[in-house]
Every structure is written in C-alpha cells, then in structure tokens.
Amino acid sequence: MEIMTGDAFGRVLERCHAAAGRPGVAFAVVERDDGHIGVHDAAAYFSGRDEWPEPERRVCAGLAGRVLDVGCGAGRHAAVLAADGLDVVGVDTSPGAVAVARARGVDARAGSATALPGGVGTFDAVLLLGNNVGLLGSAATAPVVLAELARVTAPGGRLLLSGLDPFDTDDPEHLDYHGWNRERGRLPGQCRIRLRDGRLATEWFDYLFLSEPELRAVVDPSPWRATRWEREGHGYAVELTLVP
C-alpha cells in the first residue's frame, strides 16, 4: 500500500494525549533511510520532570526569565516549566504537536530550528532538550540553526541541548550506518529519518547525533561557548552561553 505524507508525529501525540499520556497506547515508528526501524512509546513525550534524564534536570536548574523550547513536541519540558511560572514559548514543525502542547498550557507556535516564527521576541534561555541536539541536522545546517537561535537570545543567554553519543554502541547496524555516512561525506551520526504512524509518514529529514568532540567542533565557529557539560551513560546535556 502507498505511504501517505502527513503529520504522523502529531497524530501519534494526539492519540497519546487523548489517553492522558498513558504508556502502551501510541507508538512513534522511526524509519531510517537504510531500512532500520525503531519504535518508541509516545508516553515519553509526556514525561514529568522526575522522568527527565539526570543531565537535563541539572542544566535546567535555575532557569529564569523567558524560555524558548525548540522542538517542543507535546510539551515534555515546556509544560513543566510553564507550570513553574516561567514565560515559555514552544516551537514545533508538527501541527499536531503544537495543538497538543497548547492543550497542555504551552504557548506553542509553528516553526522550526532554522526558521523560528516571527514576533517571538528575545529569550534568556533556549532549549534543545529531549535529544534535540539532533535538530542541528547536519554539518551544513548546524551553523544556520545556531545563528537563528542566537538571533532571539539575549546577550549572555543560555542554550541547553541534550543528545546521545553515536559512538557508544556496538550494534552492527549502527556501525555500518556510520561507515555509509563517511562514504557519503556526512558526519557518522547524521541520520536521514522519517516518523511513521501506520501508512502515514512525515517527510524525510536529517537528525544529528554528535559526540562531545564533534559538538565542540560544530559550536566553536558560532557565537556560542560551552560553559557546562553533564553526562550520564551515553547521554549528555550541554549548556552553551551566548557571547555578547
């Protein structure tokens, strides 16, 4: 049967939201361009602060002022921070995700990491959490994303990112994919993926997994400077500060 293009991610989140974020109800299927398939319970996108990875909790401590959550999804971080009384704006490319985040009390708007919605103003902190260092996309698009986020961040403001080290694996499929990326002149952890819900699928997009040295190399030419690293297992969270 033919695959239809649409907001598969949003449809999964809407189904999970209707079940109050209960596990085992809705699943996001991640298809990679080499045929690898991953399945993730959508309940993770509704997790509370106690379920965030420890590195994320550490770098989020002391957040204040206006906060922009890029790739906010269902509001995993934005809804919690808004409930704390922070002025939070969420941004996502998925209309369904924006609708769910709004239903959960988030000022969510349509936009992307390379093209933020107009009129959002200036922020004291920007979030790329929930492994959303992946939204840097590729070696080519990462500078564009970092510049776009700097554009809406106050001098001295913070950019908080979290991700997974792609080299902390012994899975032959992932290692073969790293090699295929190198042959194509791409970073080893650059994934070409789409999200599926049955026969509905998003457009293909690039999602980037970076090691610490690779992330430092991507950040160095930008106006951001790494000021804090937190790591646990093969996951990490990083605080970048915008140089005035």
Side-chain angles (χ1 to χ4, degrees):
M1 292 185 181
E2 183 180 357
I3 299 295
M4 300 177 292
T5 301
D7 185 18
F9 182 56
R11 192 165 75 174
V12 170
L13 293 184
E14 287 169 342
R15 194 160 62 249
C16 194
H17 177 58
R22 193 168 66 251
V25 172
F27 297 86
V29 176
V30 182
E31 180 184 3
R32 202 167 61 188
D33 61 348
D34 65 339
H36 179 83
I37 298 292
V39 180
H40 307 281
D41 194 321
Y45 298 106
F46 295 81
S47 59
R49 181 185 276 109
D50 290 346
E51 299 170 274
W52 297 354
E54 182 61 27
E56 290 189 356
R57 291 202 296 270
R58 291 174 191 154
V59 297
C60 283
L63 275 177
R66 298 195 74 223
V67 178
L68 176 66
D69 185 6
V70 182
C72 67
R76 171 173 22 184
H77 299 91
V80 171
L81 297 173
D84 286 345
L86 293 178
D87 181 3
V88 184
V89 174
V91 171
D92 207 284
T93 58
S94 161
V98 169
V100 169
R102 285 176 177 171
R104 301 184 69 216
V106 177
D107 176 6
R109 311 180 193 186
S112 71
T114 56
L116 296 171
V120 291
T122 303
F123 298 89
D124 301 290
V126 178
L127 312 182
L128 286 177
L129 298 177
N131 297 326
N132 270 345
V133 69
L135 296 181
L136 295 178
S138 69
T141 58
V144 178
V145 172
L146 293 172
E148 178 71 348
L149 301 183
R151 182 180 65 82
V152 298
T153 304
R158 305 158 66 194
L159 171 58
L160 308 181
L161 315 94
S162 68
L164 301 173
D165 188 329
F167 303 116
D168 280 355
T169 182
D170 56 6
D171 186 318
E173 284 194 30
H174 295 325
L175 296 176
D176 287 347
Y177 193 77
H178 293 170
W180 190 37
N181 271 337
R182 292 185 179 98
E183 292 172 4
R184 295 182 289 172
R186 294 151 59 104
L187 287 168
Q190 181 178 336
C191 294
R192 186 74 172 168
I193 61 174
R194 63 180 177 180
L195 304 181
R196 291 183 54 176
D197 181 38
R199 292 191 295 120
L200 186 67
T202 67
E203 298 281 0
W204 290 96
F205 61 96
D206 288 314
Y207 200 74
L208 190 59
F209 294 90
L210 293 169
S211 66
E212 180 176 332
E214 288 173 330
L215 182 55
R216 288 187 183 275
V218 165
V219 169
D220 278 350
S222 79
W224 299 95
R225 293 294 174 265
T227 49
R228 184 177 181 183
W229 291 80
E230 297 284 351
R231 182 158 186 146
E232 184 177 77
H234 64 288
Y236 59 80
V238 183
E239 176 190 80
L240 307 180
T241 300
L242 184 64
V243 177

